[in-house]
Amino acid sequence: MGRDSQITTIMETEEDVPHPAQFSDDTAACSVSIKGLKENWQKWSDEHREHQKHNPFSHDTRPCVVVPQRGQDHYGRPPQGSMTEQRGKDAHTHISREVEELCEVIRNIGKPRDKDGDGSGSEGRVITVEFGKLFEHYVTISNKLVGILLRARKQRLVDFEGEMLWQGKDDHAVVTLLQ
């Protein structure tokens, strides 16, 4: 059966369909639900189209997409109240707890020493520990010791020589707790 004969068959079938007034109540309810489906689909489509206008990664080239420029307050920040913002806050809280825990471990296993080596009393004292010893104790707590050390140094809570500490190579590097 060719394509033309299929079209003819469909057209003949459509002519045989009775008028909606001839349907029973069940059939009328079916046509109403199909109308509802169409309206729901159109509503979803309109909402999605509106959402895509604000999505900087969509291929929608309409000019109403507002992207903050460098130097503006919200540049590089997720929209306020979004799930992304909440995940960022949660991550920040988690990392802060890990930094505090690292400082507590250094206090517990480290040795107090004079800050400048001048013996000027308890005010000029800091706590130090070798990286190898810290690594051996901290490995049971977390596998992110170096990352947490870098974060603590950025917050000026600890100090150590070099940019990065490597297990084995830097086992004798001294990590100093500043606060």
Side-chain angles (χ1 to χ4, degrees):
M1 191 179 332
R3 185 170 186 263
D4 293 334
S5 61
Q6 287 176 346
I7 293 172
T8 307
T9 306
I10 292 170
M11 291 174 76
E12 290 171 357
T13 310
E14 288 176 359
E15 292 171 1
D16 296 335
V17 175
H19 189 269
Q22 298 172 346
F23 289 133
S24 68
D25 289 338
D26 293 337
T27 313
C30 181
S31 68
V32 169
S33 67
I34 291 175
K35 182 179 179 184
L37 286 173
K38 179 183 174 197
E39 289 172 356
N40 285 342
W41 177 260
Q42 189 62 45
K43 179 182 171 188
W44 177 86
S45 177
D46 294 340
E47 289 172 358
H48 180 71
R49 190 173 295 120
E50 189 62 32
H51 174 74
Q52 289 299 91
K53 288 179 183 178
H54 301 288
N55 181 355
F57 301 107
S58 74
H59 297 292
D60 193 352
T61 57
R62 293 177 208 168
C64 66
V65 176
V66 178
V67 180
Q69 299 299 315
R70 184 173 285 178
Q72 290 180 332
D73 289 341
H74 299 291
Y75 180 76
R77 304 236 182 241
Q80 276 194 323
S82 68
M83 292 294 290
T84 304
E85 180 188 38
Q86 186 59 45
R87 284 189 295 268
K89 287 178 180 178
D90 293 345
H92 180 74
T93 302
H94 178 74
I95 296 296
S96 296
R97 269 189 264 124
E98 285 206 23
V99 168
E100 288 174 15
E101 189 173 3
L102 171 66
C103 291
E104 190 61 34
V105 168
I106 294 173
R107 273 188 207 94
N108 291 338
I109 67 172
K111 297 177 185 171
R113 297 212 173 123
D114 290 335
K115 191 173 190 178
D116 297 323
D118 61 0
S120 62
S122 64
E123 224 173 294
R125 300 198 44 97
V126 292
I127 298 174
T128 62
V129 66
E130 287 187 344
F131 176 68
K133 184 178 178 183
L134 178 61
F135 188 88
E136 290 300 320
H137 279 77
Y138 200 78
V139 75
T140 59
I141 299 169
S142 174
N143 61 353
K144 302 178 280 291
L145 173 61
V146 176
I148 301 300
L149 273 171
L150 291 172
R151 179 65 157 240
R153 181 167 68 176
K154 186 176 182 180
Q155 295 175 3
R156 295 193 169 113
L157 298 173
V158 300
D159 192 30
F160 52 87
E161 291 288 324
E163 286 185 40
M164 180 79 71
L165 295 174
W166 302 96
Q167 184 189 10
K169 176 183 166 210
D170 294 319
D171 281 350
H172 298 292
V174 176
V175 177
T176 305
L177 181 63
L178 299 175
Q179 295 181 359

